[in-house]
Amino acid sequence: MTNKVSSFGLLTRVAVVFLLTTEAFITKAQSVTIPIETKQNAMVLQVTPEKYLNMVYFGNKLSDKNEYSAIAQAYRLNRNDNVYNSAYTTSGTRNLLEPAISVTHADGNKSLDLKYVSHTVTRPGDDISLVSIVLRDSLYDFEVTLNYQTYFNENVTEQWSVIKHHEKHDVVLNKYASANLYLQAGSYWLKHFHGDWAKEMRPEEEQLTHGIKTLDTKLGTRADLFQPPVFMVSLNKPASEDEGEVLYGNVEWSGNYRVDLEVDPSNNLRLIAGINNYAADYVLKPGVEFTTPKFVYTLSDKGKGEASRNLQTWARKYKLVDGEGPRLTLLNNWESTYFNFNEDKLAGILKDTKELGVDLFLLDDGWFGNKYPRDNDHAGLGDWEVNKAKLPNDIAFLTKTAKADGVKFGIWVEPEMVSPKSELYEKHPDWVVKQPQRPEFYMRNQLVLDLSNPKVQDFVFGIVDNLFTRNPDLAYIKWDCNSLIYNAHSAYENHQSNFYTDYVFGLYKVLDRLRAKYPKVPMMLCSGGGGRVDYGALKYFTEYWPSDNTDPIERIFIQWEYSYFYPALASSNHVTDWGKQPLKFRTDVAMMGKLGFDIVVSKLKPDELTFCQQAVKTYKQFSEAIWHGEQYRLQDPRENDVASIMYVDTLKSTAIMFNYLVNSRYKTGSNLPIRLKGLDPDKRYSISEVNLLPGAKSSITDATYTGKFLMTVGINPDVREGRASVLIGIVEKK
């Protein structure tokens, strides 16, 4: 049990090894200072003479690296009894504050005292650096490796820990966070989000006071339903769009997460983030590595806008599937047919898809189940054979018809779920998450399959794999997840406390297999709306569904809040019949991301169809700016009568400005010019209103201005009653 490694040898050995692009450092503990730098920022970790690893600084990086060693003294962080700024706070020894890690050893002892052993620096890519720091307990053969992966140009860091032991028997992880940050400021302002179905991303901002503020979820699946895993912390004062120091955080985990924000007795902020340990003490076998999910964050001293662009650029470049590629426009049949369709009706919608001018037709729920046909949401989930009454010629008929019509074909699945009224439930009740002695409790008349079970993982993988195998032309998957986990119990797990965590690991194993076989197929992450929007899941998907609420006024607010953390090309926005706004308003709002339609095209008036067709063309004209450009929020809908946001392509040659009236009171509108952002001040730009209704004339005169003028004086989009939605195209004049 006792670690026999010589501490003397570790303290006196200094080695520098270069292997290709790898640099390894094992250094003398008394003098170890570890700066973790991006283009603008630095996090500084320091080893004390007693070999404890502390975080002594996080802020703008210094020009002279040698000065990092003086930071601890400047902040008076050298007291031997001070464990507040521990880089990974333990429990059961000197610490009396909230721990990042808490364990029960094989002998029942609950103390842990991690000390620095060594660290390495590797470079996985030109822009990426990974610092890995090994910590070890002096009494028990228990080890934690802290990992800090930085993306230099994007000023983004991902942090996670790897935990392992070689004790004689199992160890229980009572808490096992991914990250433990320490921030120093005069005050701290937390902006976080809450919601429910159709009410996603409602913001709240508050000053953090002494004690602990915890953001968490215990829902198991659709974990983001009440509390999304994203937040921002402003230092000294609430940050504005372009001013102030602010930290953005996002737990990359699709299950129960927890974020603790504790203002300590020294008035500094301790931030601990990772998996929620609620009902989740994890039993870890000897020799097995436990890797926590990543916690991603970025720090900006130029306000919320810069922090957003940091994360958005990082996500497109490193996280989202094909984040630097194009996106498909689509027509979905859900709100036009619901469960009531057949081959002839779908063939007609496929022709509408072509006429509309979008790229793909998406067949939604209701295409499967025979013994228990999926004619409503009470039956059929789990029985993934094609319904012969609706589709006698199988899915192949639709893929061939789509191909003949010159469009692509996609399909909806909800593979993690099962209806009690299904053949799957009858055959495999042991695959279902439920308490064996308690009444079942349903959400949307369904239960959750136990993805901690490898047989269930194989089944879920097979659902999607069989669709692709039988239909090679299948071009898109909408992956839904509508039920929470009630009565959590696994017939497979030996240790029930492992279930919540192993469920998500099982989900990721399935998605890993699918992406290994189908690396580029577009997939929408849908979970009853925004119930599962996090970068842990989004690494497998091209886009997400923000909300089932597609009322365009509501969507302006919902999409606005998501935009702080996620890029526009990942936000699936559909034109539907929700709300009282005209078709143009609904379409303009949906164009602020990844455009789709969920309307009955055959019922559109000729002018409406012409408008939609032209809107698709306009969208594609500006899609590069929307998908891959920089986003600038100009006027917040919560603070103004008019919401305004713009996207500028990377060459600063093309931009589009979206403007919406969000207050219907008398004489509200854009009374003053709105200043643009992100343009080249020395370039000249032609401005004009785009996406007009057929025959409509704009009140805005086409004109040419310098970028300096547009960013200093601005333009008035003339938003008002009768002109509630205005899109302005900005194109470089050459």
Side-chain angles (χ1 to χ4, degrees), residues 80-289:
N80 291 333
D81 63 338
N82 187 0
V83 297
Y84 300 164
N85 64 325
S86 171
Y88 199 64
T89 313
T90 60
S91 66
T93 51
R94 299 184 305 143
N95 172 52
L96 299 176
L97 302 179
E98 184 64 30
I101 184 168
S102 180
V103 307
T104 303
H105 295 286
D107 65 0
N109 192 290
K110 296 184 72 70
S111 68
L112 190 64
D113 198 32
L114 296 174
K115 295 189 176 184
Y116 171 86
V117 176
S118 63
H119 74 278
T120 60
V121 181
T122 57
R123 304 199 184 281
D126 292 340
D127 187 41
I128 308 171
S129 179
L130 173 61
V131 177
S132 299
I133 306 171
V134 178
L135 307 176
R136 189 173 296 143
D137 190 273
S138 57
L139 294 178
Y140 292 90
D141 197 349
F142 188 98
E143 182 178 291
V144 176
T145 301
L146 304 181
N147 296 282
Y148 303 81
Q149 183 157 287
T150 55
Y151 300 82
F152 186 81
N153 289 312
E154 292 75 27
N155 294 297
V156 167
T157 302
E158 288 183 300
Q159 187 175 340
W160 70 99
S161 58
V162 178
I163 305 167
K164 64 181 179 180
H165 73 94
H166 293 281
E167 300 185 26
K168 291 182 179 180
H169 302 289
D170 296 347
V171 165
V172 179
L173 307 181
N174 305 116
K175 189 174 183 183
Y176 34 101
S178 300
N180 187 170
L181 303 183
Y182 194 68
L183 298 155
Q184 295 131 336
S187 59
Y188 310 93
W189 298 81
L190 171 68
K191 184 175 182 180
H192 58 106
F193 304 85
H194 67 97
D196 203 337
W197 180 81
K199 298 187 294 183
E200 289 83 359
M201 293 296 285
R202 303 289 178 96
E204 293 180 335
E205 189 161 29
E206 61 191 284
Q207 183 175 359
L208 291 171
T209 57
H210 291 86
I212 300 177
K213 172 76 174 183
T214 297
L215 310 176
D216 77 339
T217 181
K218 304 177 179 71
L219 306 182
T221 56
R222 293 188 69 182
D224 307 353
L225 182 63
F226 302 144
Q227 183 86 51
V230 293
F231 62 92
M232 58 182 80
V233 176
S234 299
L235 307 182
N236 299 309
K237 63 179 182 180
S240 67
E241 191 65 25
D242 301 306
E243 295 180 343
E245 194 169 9
V246 61
L247 173 79
Y248 280 19
N250 188 325
V251 183
E252 298 184 37
W253 184 244
S254 306
N256 296 344
Y257 72 87
R258 173 175 170 176
V259 178
D260 295 314
L261 301 111
E262 180 177 20
V263 179
D264 71 15
S266 296
N267 300 315
N268 297 311
L269 179 63
R270 306 175 67 251
L271 192 160
I272 299 170
I275 294 174
N276 195 343
N277 56 326
Y278 161 78
D281 291 335
Y282 199 88
V283 180
L284 185 63
K285 296 183 179 299
V288 176
E289 288 191 346

Side-chain angles (χ1 to χ4, degrees), residues 172-173 176 279-285 290 452 493-505:
V172 179
L173 307 181
Y176 34 101
D281 291 335
Y282 199 88
V283 180
L284 185 63
K285 296 183 179 299
F290 183 94
S452 72
E493 289 275 10
N494 291 324
H495 304 286
Q496 290 303 312
S497 60
N498 284 22
F499 166 69
Y500 276 124
T501 303
D502 284 349
Y503 179 91
V504 183
F505 285 151

Side-chain angles (χ1 to χ4, degrees), residues 382-521:
D383 301 343
W384 296 98
E385 70 278 354
V386 175
N387 183 283
K388 295 177 182 178
K390 295 180 181 179
L391 302 173
N393 294 300
D394 215 308
I395 298 298
F397 167 81
L398 298 174
T399 58
K400 290 176 182 177
T401 303
K403 193 171 185 179
D405 288 336
V407 296
K408 298 179 184 294
F409 178 82
I411 200 165
W412 176 97
V413 293
E414 192 176 4
E416 299 168 66
M417 303 294 158
V418 60
S419 301
K421 193 175 181 180
S422 67
E423 292 184 83
L424 179 65
Y425 186 92
E426 293 173 347
K427 293 176 182 177
H428 295 288
D430 57 316
W431 285 9
V432 179
V433 177
K434 60 176 183 173
Q435 290 285 348
Q437 303 299 323
R438 299 187 185 278
E440 294 175 356
F441 188 80
Y442 309 130
M443 185 171 191
R444 206 190 182 217
N445 308 299
Q446 61 195 55
L447 294 167
V448 180
L449 292 174
D450 181 6
L451 276 175
S452 72
N453 186 337
K455 291 182 180 179
V456 178
Q457 295 169 22
D458 291 340
F459 172 77
V460 172
F461 170 79
I463 292 167
V464 182
D465 186 44
N466 289 338
L467 280 170
F468 283 118
T469 301
R470 292 166 60 91
N471 307 282
D473 291 327
L474 185 63
Y476 187 92
I477 293 290
K478 178 181 177 182
W479 183 298
D480 215 339
C481 169
N482 280 296
S483 185
L484 308 178
I485 292 179
Y486 298 99
N487 294 320
H489 178 86
S490 166
Y492 170 79
E493 289 275 10
N494 291 324
H495 304 286
Q496 290 303 312
S497 60
N498 284 22
F499 166 69
Y500 276 124
T501 303
D502 284 349
Y503 179 91
V504 183
F505 285 151
L507 171 65
Y508 291 166
K509 286 178 182 177
V510 172
L511 293 170
D512 278 328
R513 291 172 65 185
L514 284 172
R515 277 307 177 196
K517 192 169 183 180
Y518 308 103
K520 289 296 181 85
V521 174

